[in-house]
Structures are given as C-alpha cells and as structure tokens.
Amino acid sequence: MAVRFEHVCGHKGYSLDIFQAMERYKRIKQAKGITSNVHWTKIPVQDSISKLAGLSGFSRLRVPPGIMDEIGFEDCDWISHEVDAKWWKRFEGWPLPLELHIPCRDPIEHLLSQCNYLGKMPDCCQGVKGFINSCLRAMNRFSTQLEHHKNIK
C-alpha cells in the first residue's frame, strides 16, 4: 500500500519515505548477491529506525509500534496495523469518521499462509486439530465491539 499511495501509515512502512526504504533494500540485496525474491523482513536493513529501535527485525520497512505512536497518525488517510482490536479505540474522538477495512481471504488459504509464515509443517502425530491450533495467531484483531465506537463506519 505505502508503495502505491500517499498518506499511508503503518507497521509495514510509511508512504512518505517508502521509496528510499525500498532503494536501501535493493542496494543491500545487490551487495549480498541475492538475486531471488527474498522477503524484505529476511534481509537486515540498516537505517535510522533499525539503529535506534534496538530491536531485531525493525526498520523503515517494518516500523516498531512505539515509533508509530511518536510519528502519529494525523496525516494518514490509510492506517495499516495488525494489532488487537482495542487499539482502534484511540480514534474514537477524532473529528473524521474511521472506516475499517477487513481483508477478505479464503480461510483455509489464510490458515496455511500463517502456518507457512511460522514454519509449521503438518505432523501426523499432532493431529489436524493440534496442527491448526499451532498456526493460529493474533485471533484478537477483530471484535464486534468495534461496531459500538462513535465514529467507526
């Protein structure tokens, strides 16, 4: 999103500096001789956020929540943040309505994508239920409580 549109803010980068962040990523890939399409989270990028955050895996391409809060969201038309549904309550008093977009994805495809991301492989001894449960993460991102916020459409 941040690559294609302006005023996009979130944990996967901000549109205001995404061009430079992607250029750094390409230079690092080239310097390391990586020609395959390796996900940017797998290549350590050195930038101001990665140096300041003191947390492994963060950069301008994956922004830590504390820095997101410091930057603020006042200039954002689109906010991408994969967090607990309660986090959105902070926008209740905003002068503009908040429109939530819930991605539609085939549930099985989404589950298998989570398993792949976590490096989980089906284990016959674990059983289907155990395998599925080992892949479920962040199930608190949506709540029907969001329907009761004053300015959420």
Side-chain angles (χ1 to χ4, degrees), residues 59-142:
S59 69
R60 289 203 172 275
L61 294 172
R62 183 168 175 255
V63 183
I67 291 178
M68 287 174 56
D69 287 339
E70 185 178 301
I71 293 169
F73 302 96
E74 290 76 11
D75 194 35
C76 306
D77 293 335
W78 181 278
I79 301 169
S80 171
H81 202 19
E82 297 173 359
V83 290
D84 188 295
K86 290 182 268 182
W87 184 86
W88 296 98
K89 188 170 176 62
R90 67 179 58 203
F91 298 102
E92 260 189 320
W94 277 43
L96 298 172
L98 186 67
E99 185 176 308
L100 298 178
H101 292 256
I102 300 168
C104 296
R105 190 170 185 186
D106 175 71
I108 300 298
E109 181 185 314
H110 190 216
L111 173 68
L112 293 177
S113 173
Q114 283 186 300
C115 294
N116 183 54
Y117 175 77
L118 295 168
K120 304 280 184 179
M121 296 296 290
D123 180 354
C124 296
C125 298
Q126 191 177 24
V128 173
K129 187 176 179 181
F131 172 66
I132 290 172
N133 286 335
S134 73
C135 295
L136 296 177
R137 295 288 183 268
M139 299 307 291
N140 57 349
R141 290 184 190 165
F142 177 78

Side-chain angles (χ1 to χ4, degrees), residues 37-55:
N37 191 15
V38 176
H39 196 268
W40 55 263
T41 57
K42 304 295 182 198
I43 298 174
V45 176
Q46 289 295 310
D47 59 25
S48 58
I49 289 180
S50 65
K51 292 173 186 171
L52 291 174
L55 300 170

Side-chain angles (χ1 to χ4, degrees), residues 4 6 17 23 29 80-81 126:
R4 294 181 175 215
E6 292 192 22
D17 70 347
E23 287 299 308
K29 260 181 74 171
S80 171
H81 202 19
Q126 191 177 24

Side-chain angles (χ1 to χ4, degrees), residues 26-39:
K26 287 181 206 172
R27 282 194 302 273
I28 290 169
K29 260 181 74 171
Q30 188 175 20
K32 292 182 180 266
I34 300 170
T35 56
S36 63
N37 191 15
V38 176
H39 196 268

